[in-house]
Amino acid sequence: MLGVRFWVPGTPIKERGDFMDYNEKYMKRCLELAKQGLGNVAPNPMVGCVIVYDDRIIGEGYHIKCGEAHAEVNAINSVKDISLLTSSTLYVNLEPCSHTGKTPPCTDLIIKNNIPHVVTGSKDTNTDVAGRGADKLRAAGIDVTEGIMDKENRELNRRFFTYHEKERPYIILKWAQTIDGFIDAERSADESAEPLWITNDLCRTVVHKWRSEEQAIMVGTNTAEKDDPQLNVRNWSGNDPLRLVLDRTLRLPEGLKLFDKSIPTIVFTEKKKKNEENLEYIRVDFNKDVIKEVLDELYKRQQQSVIVEGGTILMQSFIDNGLWDEIRLFIGNRFFGKGVRAPEFSADLVSEDELDGSKLFVFRNNDRFIA
């Protein structure tokens, strides 16, 4: 038989042979391709696609940028001999879309090219798709296999799935602390606004890489005032995130770098103030759950992820409310003796690395949705 080997529905598991390994081989390639869209495709998911004929990849592609062609389109367009499509299998790590958004439905293109077999990773839980893509393919007579490397795909697209399933952005808390557990030294209000570095240049480069991968970045009033951060991407190549700052009474000086209007910036405040170019003021009730109000606003704006680089008060607010997904914690080779204590939390450690003398620990929330 021409084309790849595939499992015929109803075949006993013991007779499937290397079906799963065979499908995983090409799904892994889909995930490798999908990763290349990190930082450029949101609010869309990261998707990669390969087309296989007779155990040979004849086309592949990934979703490069939001608003541009999806992975399936790029993969199909890369096939030199389109006559092979009628005997090929299309692999894609997320269920093909069946609705018209900024681009036409990928299901229509698959059906149009008479591709007989489609293998997918995860079901798209976006309510615009939610199983309808696979149903549409089956209705057209296409054999669809689902759930190949589902866990790995949900991990890769954890921002996308969190956004659609929890109706909030994926939240990353990032801070650096000393060996003796301080996030900052004691500083008087009249000290000059500049960051007090705990880690090193390599760690700062890593942080700028992270910023390029997320849609928004947030700090509180004290961090903005004491450190005067730019919250942009300088030591890495990538997009600047949307800047967010809490300023209840609008007491922050207008000369801070956050207000230089070089990057879209939102100030959450209880005061009324006229918006300016790249500087928007949103009123929220600080006497209520201000964190939830901020997250609801980001959800409405289709911001799928936010990295929080604030101080202990802001971080602890997220932690105490269970509103976080990852903690990325640096421990620098410094002692303060006294100062501002780091946030307290309980979580699962998922990785540990050493970066030129500093330690990086990554934790996940015990309540995370990833199995």
Side-chain angles (χ1 to χ4, degrees):
M1 181 184 70
L2 294 177
V4 302
R5 290 162 289 177
F6 64 100
W7 169 55
V8 177
T11 304
I13 292 177
K14 65 180 181 180
E15 296 180 16
R16 297 184 197 176
D18 59 357
F19 168 75
M20 288 301 294
D21 290 340
Y22 192 83
N23 281 341
E24 288 180 4
K25 168 185 174 181
Y26 292 114
M27 193 58 68
K28 285 179 181 178
R29 178 56 182 162
C30 290
L31 293 171
E32 289 173 355
L33 291 166
K35 289 177 184 177
Q36 298 182 56
L38 180 60
N40 292 308
V41 301
N44 292 342
M46 289 174 277
V47 181
C49 178
V50 298
I51 300 172
V52 177
Y53 171 82
D54 197 21
D55 201 9
R56 175 170 57 92
I57 294 177
I58 60 172
E60 61 179 29
Y62 68 97
H63 186 33
I64 299 172
K65 186 177 181 181
C66 179
E68 297 183 359
H70 288 187
E72 298 95 322
V73 176
N74 290 329
I76 290 172
N77 288 342
S78 74
V79 176
K80 293 182 179 180
D81 185 354
I82 61 173
S83 69
L84 299 179
L85 289 175
T86 58
S87 300
S88 297
T89 295
L90 182 145
Y91 289 84
V92 62
N93 62 295
L94 193 71
E95 175 186 6
C97 64
S98 57
H99 66 290
T100 300
K102 292 183 178 180
T103 60
C106 291
T107 50
D108 290 0
L109 185 64
I110 295 170
I111 294 169
K112 177 183 176 181
N113 283 277
N114 296 309
I115 299 173
H117 317 299
V118 173
V119 179
T120 68
S122 299
K123 180 173 289 188
D124 188 340
T125 54
N126 179 352
T127 54
D128 288 334
V129 184
R132 286 187 288 273
D135 290 344
K136 188 173 183 178
L137 293 176
R138 289 192 176 101
I142 295 173
D143 179 74
V144 180
T145 300
E146 300 178 272
I148 304 301
M149 299 187 70
D150 173 67
K151 181 179 179 180
E152 291 82 354
N153 180 57
R154 287 179 63 85
E155 170 67 21
L156 174 65
N157 279 301
R158 57 194 182 275
R159 299 161 181 84
F160 176 82
F161 287 111
T162 296
Y163 177 83
H164 287 289
E165 295 175 13
K166 292 193 173 183
E167 297 187 346
R168 63 163 176 79
Y170 188 85
I171 302 166
I172 301 167
L173 308 182
K174 190 277 309 180
W175 72 84
Q177 67 183 58
T178 61
I179 293 175
D180 53 347
F182 295 100
I183 197 171
D184 198 358
E186 291 183 347
R187 290 194 278 174
S188 62
D190 58 353
E191 286 188 66
S192 60
E194 59 181 20
L196 183 62
W197 299 114
I198 293 175
T199 56
N200 53 53
D201 289 341
L202 178 57
C203 294
R204 289 190 282 277
T205 297
V206 170
V207 170
H208 282 251
K209 177 180 181 293
W210 290 345
R211 290 177 179 178
S212 74
E213 296 170 349
E214 311 308 331
Q215 285 192 274
I217 185 168
M218 182 180 184
V219 293
T221 312
N222 291 337
T223 298
E225 185 175 47
K226 290 183 177 180
D227 293 348
D228 191 16
Q230 297 182 60
L231 301 186
N232 60 4
V233 177
R234 301 186 301 281
N235 301 333
W236 197 261
S237 177
N239 298 318
D240 293 313
L242 172 68
R243 299 188 297 199
L244 314 170
V245 60
L246 296 177
D247 186 7
R248 180 172 186 170
T249 62
L250 294 182
R251 68 176 176 85
L252 290 174
E254 293 184 358
L256 293 180
K257 297 183 181 72
L258 279 174
F259 305 138
D260 62 9
K261 303 176 186 176
S262 63
I263 302 169
T265 303
I266 296 177
V267 180
F268 291 95
T269 179
E270 65 183 10
K271 301 292 185 179
K272 186 176 181 179
K273 188 169 182 179
K274 186 178 179 180
N275 294 335
E276 303 176 46
E277 181 184 3
N278 274 348
L279 189 55
E280 183 178 359
Y281 295 87
I282 296 180
R283 296 181 70 179
V284 292
D285 189 346
F286 279 76
N287 292 315
K288 295 183 178 179
D289 190 348
V290 66
I291 298 298
K292 187 177 185 305
E293 287 191 66
V294 170
L295 296 179
D296 287 346
E297 182 65 31
L298 294 179
Y299 178 76
K300 287 191 295 184
R301 292 169 180 252
Q302 293 189 303
Q303 298 292 306
Q304 288 190 356
S305 64
V306 58
I307 183 167
V308 184
E309 295 192 14
T312 296
I313 294 176
L314 181 60
M315 297 289 192
Q316 200 68 57
S317 295
F318 277 94
I319 293 169
D320 291 346
N321 284 285
L323 292 172
W324 66 278
D325 298 287
E326 285 187 35
I327 288 176
R328 299 177 183 179
L329 168 61
F330 291 102
I331 298 183
N333 191 23
R334 296 193 64 181
F335 289 88
F336 281 174
K338 60 181 180 178
V340 180
R341 278 286 177 186
E344 297 181 354
F345 66 96
S346 175
D348 298 328
L349 176 66
V350 295
S351 67
E352 176 181 348
D353 292 290
E354 184 168 343
L355 300 174
D356 197 19
S358 293
K359 294 282 189 178
L360 169 60
F361 300 89
V362 178
F363 299 87
R364 288 284 177 82
N365 193 334
N366 295 321
D367 189 37
R368 67 190 187 276
F369 76 95
I370 300 291

